[in-house]
Amino acid sequence: MSSSAGQATSNTVTIKGNPNLANSTIYGGYNGYYSNDTAFDNFVKGNTLNLYSKGLNAKNIANFENINFYLPADFKHNDTVLTLHDTKDTDISKAKVAVGVIDGKAPKLEVNERVNLLHSLNAKVIHPTDMSNHVSLMQGVSKEYTLELKNDEEKYLYALVTKVPKKPVTPEEPAYKENPGVKSFLEAELSTASLLNQGVDLTSSDGIKAMRTSYDEQYGLGVFSVIGGSDIRYKTGSYVDIKGFNFAAGVSNSVLDNSLVYGLFFEYGKGEYDSFNSFANSSVVRGSGDTKYYGLAFALEKELEDRFYIDASVRAGRSKSDYKSNDFNGLASFDISRNYYGAHIGVGKIVELNSVSNLNLYTKLLYSRLEGKDVDIRGDKFSFNAIDSIRTKLGARYEYLINNGFDIYTGVAWEKEYDGEAKGFNHATNKSIDAPKLKGDSAVLELGSNYQTNSFNIGTNLQGYLGDKEGISGGVKVEYKF
């Protein structure tokens, strides 16, 4: 921007590769009429310079509030990021400096090794006035080094790697400290496991109910579909918020004089999540992404004597998810695909209260498994273990028939998760990651209705969750009898 008035702020200049800028001055903001005007609020504020290579050359740099040095994978002791050729001093007195290593495969830095950030060949470097004594350098996403910025050489802005104070051990610990924020990656794993649990809940409740009522006693075959949406927070040690929907559609039939109903389902689910982690003596890490699954399920329900019943299902399919966070001195992201499996078994009894109402007492055991997978995140290798979820649900549902085609119901249940732990291993530090988990207790409150004609059955439902799982879900089912 070239003007005698106005602002040139909040600009970003990013340099990658090895461009020849030895005769060029890189500006964040510039006043073409008054080249000596460097007013902070007009030409410096919010301007950012990102440098992604070493061995760069420029005439000079000016008017940047933030200067970020991203050291490449081949960076080594005493290499220089940017060499300046101007005969005028380089004034970065108003700048804030940050240093990072993008690739986790970069050579390990040792204590007292030197990182040359700026080197002015023919003039001075006017160092930052508000220069922090220490800055954090992140290698990959797992290792954090502490560097001390130095201003004792007038032609350089450089930093020395310093030893992080730790309890003395033998052999001596490395200069880096582990980044606890990598736990956030496992929170993303729990978001997929949670969406799968919502899917088995849909299959084992409304799915089986739709399967049971959709078949025709005379002709057998029935077609049904159920869909549910949810907005739920899972307490995992920190928390994960998931918004999504689950869908199942299938065909049903019966045998044994209609006492055994079975069905084949296609199931699909899709959601988006946000995770939050905070750590002692560390910054907050927020992650987000999308997750989905698709697969097949088989279910059945058998009527027993005295209004007892038993139901069960098995399921298998494929899941895909992604993750991104800007809280790792830059973007950390990954995509992952793997298989899932699940099953449930339930028993219950219908207690007739009178001619228009009954009480459905039930208990269920629900299981799902999300397979493990290795991923590479900015050069750091991680192994995500399989996640096994084992839950029980004990509940009661009161059903009231308003007329021959319309009934309503309300219910309450207690759900307990016994496992749901996301374990992982960080190969960059050769250590296990602190594992978040879904384990805990939740209360479930529900309300719903069903409307039936000769061929169609349409139902709606709403659930609320309290405890280690908080939020709401709801859905619609549609059934058709041939």
Side-chain angles (χ1 to χ4, degrees), residues 48-95:
T48 299
L49 175 61
N50 297 317
L51 302 171
Y52 282 86
S53 304
K54 70 173 184 177
L56 294 169
N57 290 272
K59 183 177 181 181
N60 214 330
I61 60 173
N63 298 346
F64 290 101
E65 182 182 11
N66 305 296
I67 305 177
N68 301 319
F69 298 88
Y70 296 100
L71 309 184
D74 60 348
F75 191 91
K76 61 182 182 297
H77 166 60
N78 215 30
D79 280 350
T80 300
V81 177
L82 179 62
T83 300
L84 303 171
H85 297 260
D86 204 348
T87 56
K88 295 181 180 180
D89 292 343
T90 300
D91 185 358
I92 57 171
S93 59
K94 300 174 183 178

Side-chain angles (χ1 to χ4, degrees), residues 187-188 190-191 232-236 238-242 273-276:
E187 301 278 2
L190 287 185
S191 69
I232 298 177
R233 169 168 292 184
Y234 292 86
K235 299 177 183 178
T236 62
S238 295
Y239 65 80
V240 179
D241 291 329
I242 305 173
Y273 69 89
D274 295 285
S275 64
F276 176 91

Side-chain angles (χ1 to χ4, degrees), residues 142-143 374-375 380-383 425-431:
S142 304
K143 300 174 182 178
D374 290 348
V375 296
D380 288 352
K381 181 182 177 182
F382 293 86
S383 293
F425 189 82
N426 186 346
H427 294 270
T429 59
N430 202 34
K431 291 186 178 181

Side-chain angles (χ1 to χ4, degrees), residues 209-473:
K209 188 174 182 180
M211 178 191 73
R212 182 202 319 134
T213 56
S214 64
Y215 83 97
D216 188 278
E217 293 185 0
Q218 181 178 359
Y219 299 106
L221 188 65
V223 178
F224 61 89
S225 64
V226 289
I227 186 170
S230 59
D231 184 352
I232 298 177
R233 169 168 292 184
Y234 292 86
K235 299 177 183 178
T236 62
S238 295
Y239 65 80
V240 179
D241 291 329
I242 305 173
K243 298 178 181 178
F245 74 92
N246 305 84
F247 170 79
V251 293
S252 63
N253 209 331
S254 66
V255 293
L256 302 178
D257 296 326
N258 300 318
S259 66
L260 175 62
V261 183
Y262 61 92
L264 181 65
F265 297 65
F266 167 77
E267 61 176 11
Y268 178 82
K270 183 175 176 61
E272 57 184 34
Y273 69 89
D274 295 285
S275 64
F276 176 91
N277 293 88
S278 61
F279 307 92
N281 302 318
S282 184
S283 59
V284 170
V285 177
R286 297 177 177 85
S288 62
D290 298 318
T291 182
K292 66 179 180 180
Y293 70 87
Y294 52 89
L296 295 174
F298 177 79
L300 59 83
E301 183 183 70
K302 178 68 170 71
E303 293 181 1
L304 305 175
E305 294 182 358
D306 298 325
R307 299 301 305 274
F308 281 93
Y309 64 89
I310 183 170
D311 56 46
S313 69
V314 293
R315 58 203 291 255
R318 190 77 172 164
S319 76
K320 295 183 178 182
S321 61
D322 59 51
Y323 171 93
K324 57 182 178 295
S325 174
N326 288 304
D327 293 329
F328 290 85
N329 283 6
L331 177 65
S333 63
F334 63 85
D335 297 279
I336 187 169
S337 299
R338 53 267 173 91
N339 297 327
Y340 73 86
Y341 312 95
H344 99 277
I345 186 169
V347 295
K349 178 177 174 58
I350 305 295
V351 179
E352 298 290 348
L353 301 178
N354 52 49
S355 61
V356 294
S357 64
N358 64 65
L359 189 64
N360 184 354
L361 305 175
Y362 63 90
T363 183
K364 297 178 185 289
L365 175 64
L366 307 109
Y367 171 76
S368 65
R369 178 181 177 86
L370 181 63
E371 289 292 335
K373 192 73 176 288
D374 290 348
V375 296
D376 185 282
I377 306 174
R378 243 165 55 181
D380 288 352
K381 181 182 177 182
F382 293 86
S383 293
F384 296 155
N385 291 14
I387 301 176
D388 292 298
S389 172
I390 303 173
R391 294 177 295 147
T392 55
K393 184 178 288 188
L394 179 66
R397 176 183 288 178
Y398 173 76
E399 300 178 352
Y400 182 79
L401 180 63
I402 294 179
N403 57 48
N404 288 334
F406 182 58
D407 67 87
I408 60 174
Y409 64 87
T410 184
V412 61
W414 170 55
E415 179 181 302
K416 185 174 183 66
E417 171 66 70
Y418 295 89
D419 195 349
E421 188 171 16
K423 296 180 180 180
F425 189 82
N426 186 346
H427 294 270
T429 59
N430 202 34
K431 291 186 178 181
S432 296
I433 308 169
D434 184 24
K437 51 191 173 184
L438 300 172
K439 188 175 182 179
D441 299 273
S442 302
V444 186
L445 307 175
E446 64 174 344
L447 180 66
S449 65
N450 290 284
Y451 177 73
Q452 187 169 352
T453 67
N454 290 334
S455 298
F456 282 96
N457 189 342
I458 300 173
T460 60
N461 64 82
L462 179 68
Q463 293 89 32
Y465 303 90
L466 298 171
D468 290 293
K469 182 167 69 174
E470 297 179 346
I472 59 172
S473 66

